[in-house]
Amino acid sequence: MLKKVFFTLVAAFFSMSFAWAQVDVNKADQAALDGIKGIGPATSKAILEERKKSGNFKDWDDLQKRVKGVGEKSAEKLSQAGLTVNGAGKSAVNKPAEKKGAAKAKSGK
């Protein structure tokens, strides 16, 4: 009985910590952005300034185009660290397109 309660509490703790790790680039303040591994003060400031100047980011491609220093590799790492754009992680957006392109490359079409 005690083991069940313990494991339930541990599972609840881990599920809550994963929920807290998600930070949407269009809603976050500087402190929340700085909390993402890979984003420092300069990058968070650039994100906030670009968002203020041109509005919310539409998708990951838009973020990468508008914020200097955020390229394909860094965007993937930021996504893995918990950053989202409109609630979507980088891999959730790109995986289907990559699979289609890989299938065409393998088949020679």
Side-chain angles (χ1 to χ4, degrees):
M1 174 68 178
L2 187 57
K3 285 184 182 181
K4 287 182 182 179
V5 171
F6 175 75
F7 285 116
T8 302
L9 290 174
V10 169
F13 172 77
F14 280 111
S15 66
M16 287 189 307
S17 66
F18 287 124
W20 290 330
Q22 298 296 313
V23 174
D24 193 300
V25 73
N26 289 321
K27 298 175 184 173
D29 61 5
Q30 187 160 2
L33 290 170
D34 286 342
I36 297 291
K37 183 179 179 183
I39 296 182
T43 304
S44 63
K45 184 178 178 184
I47 289 169
L48 293 173
E49 286 177 357
E50 185 59 38
R51 191 174 75 193
K52 184 177 180 181
K53 181 175 92 176
S54 301
N56 285 348
F57 298 98
K58 297 174 194 156
D59 53 27
W60 279 95
D61 290 335
D62 189 32
L63 176 68
Q64 289 173 230
K65 289 175 188 170
R66 291 169 46 191
V67 179
K68 185 179 178 182
V70 179
E72 188 67 32
K73 288 182 182 179
S74 61
E76 188 65 42
K77 289 179 183 178
L78 295 174
S79 176
Q80 290 173 0
L83 189 69
T84 64
V85 178
N86 294 323
K90 176 84 171 133
S91 58
V93 174
N94 285 344
K95 290 298 181 190
E98 289 175 8
K99 287 181 181 178
K100 289 178 185 175
K104 286 181 182 179
K106 286 181 182 179
S107 67
K109 294 182 180 179

